[in-house]
Amino acid sequence: MREALVAAAFELFLERGFEQTTVDDIVSLAGVGRRSFFRYFPAKEDVVFPDHERSLAEMTEFLESGSGEEDPVKHACDAARLVLRMYAEQPSFSVQRYRLTRKVPGLRAYELSVVWRYEHTLAAYLRGRYADRPDGPLRADVIAAAVVAAHNHALRTWLRSGGESDWVAEVDAAMAFVTSTWSDRPADSAPEGEGDDVVVLVASRRAPLWRMVQGIESAIGETRRA
């Protein structure tokens, strides 16, 4: 039902324009009632960004999953990668949304409010990690803003390419810049002469990708310590 409403909405937005499309138009095309629409989306703007609540929840869970020993800047950057991965899972939809948002001032304002929620979540995590520093609150807010700005740079570069460029390379470069600028810890480097490790991970098919990555990183860390 939710996916049908999103599909109907975007079909109409592209055909008629966002402002000219009503909720009644969307539910009529989807073949459902108005109550069904508002069960999933508080307003018409929300149907343009149907995946951000899930993405924000995953980011929050990922940030809270840290052991407290990891580099906080790198952990925040890895959390931001989850958001870009969410866009990359549906490249055609993401590019359509980007083009639509650029044309509608109200959607741009809505998108800024979504971005602020991501930044607020990152800043809250970083404040906890820097609580013992005199400049902790300032450092947390500045780094959170830097992570979001770097992420958005990588995202826009990918979207402007029509979803054709290498989004992994884009976000890697952006996050590496933030980490090298703000991290207090030197970048990890493998000892000379160390051979390649082979890691086999057994995970549930339903497990989120970040949990799998976390499991692999943990296994590699244990191997190196040994």
Side-chain angles (χ1 to χ4, degrees):
M1 179 74 70
R2 191 169 182 273
E3 292 177 358
L5 287 166
V6 172
F10 266 80
E11 182 178 334
L12 292 171
F13 293 158
L14 295 173
E15 177 185 323
R16 304 179 185 180
F18 178 81
E19 302 292 354
Q20 291 70 34
T21 300
T22 66
V23 171
D24 286 333
D25 295 331
I26 296 171
V27 298
S28 176
L29 182 58
V32 301
R34 283 175 61 88
R35 291 180 63 183
S36 295
F37 180 91
F38 291 110
R39 186 181 304 141
Y40 293 99
F41 305 106
K44 187 173 69 171
E45 290 78 8
D46 292 284
V47 79
V48 181
F49 303 93
D51 36 22
H52 279 292
E53 289 300 326
R54 172 178 63 87
S55 180
L56 187 63
E58 287 187 354
M59 170 188 274
T60 302
E61 184 182 0
F62 177 82
L63 290 171
E64 292 174 350
S65 72
S67 65
E69 300 298 325
E70 67 281 341
D71 178 0
V73 178
K74 182 179 183 302
H75 198 57
C77 288
D78 288 343
R81 293 172 190 271
L82 299 176
V83 184
L84 210 155
R85 183 177 292 116
M86 175 268 291
Y87 279 90
E89 286 174 352
Q90 296 180 298
S92 178
F93 176 75
S94 296
V95 171
Q96 285 182 347
R97 173 167 57 191
Y98 172 67
R99 291 171 179 169
L100 176 67
T101 303
R102 291 181 65 194
K103 297 177 182 178
V104 183
L107 289 180
R108 288 202 295 273
Y110 185 95
E111 187 175 41
L112 286 175
S113 71
V114 173
V115 171
W116 179 86
R117 292 178 67 192
Y118 285 116
E119 185 174 331
H120 179 77
T121 300
L122 290 169
Y125 160 74
L126 290 166
R127 283 193 201 100
R129 293 298 307 274
Y130 294 128
D132 59 342
R133 297 181 58 141
D135 64 347
L138 174 62
R139 176 173 288 268
D141 288 350
V142 171
I143 294 175
V147 172
V148 169
H151 168 274
N152 288 346
H153 173 82
L155 175 61
R156 284 193 297 268
T157 300
W158 177 72
L159 290 171
R160 287 169 182 159
S161 76
E164 296 296 327
S165 67
D166 186 346
W167 70 268
V168 176
E170 299 287 358
V171 74
D172 280 352
M175 295 302 106
F177 177 79
V178 174
T179 304
S180 64
T181 302
W182 290 105
S183 178
D184 293 330
R185 305 183 188 180
D188 292 335
S189 57
E192 291 185 10
E194 182 178 317
D196 291 336
D197 292 327
V198 177
V199 177
V200 178
L201 175 69
V202 179
S204 166
R205 186 186 295 269
R206 296 182 179 179
L209 187 57
W210 65 264
R211 280 201 182 280
M212 299 183 189
V213 173
Q214 196 175 58
I216 293 171
E217 289 179 339
S218 176
I220 292 175
E222 290 176 2
T223 300
R224 287 179 176 171
R225 286 193 294 273

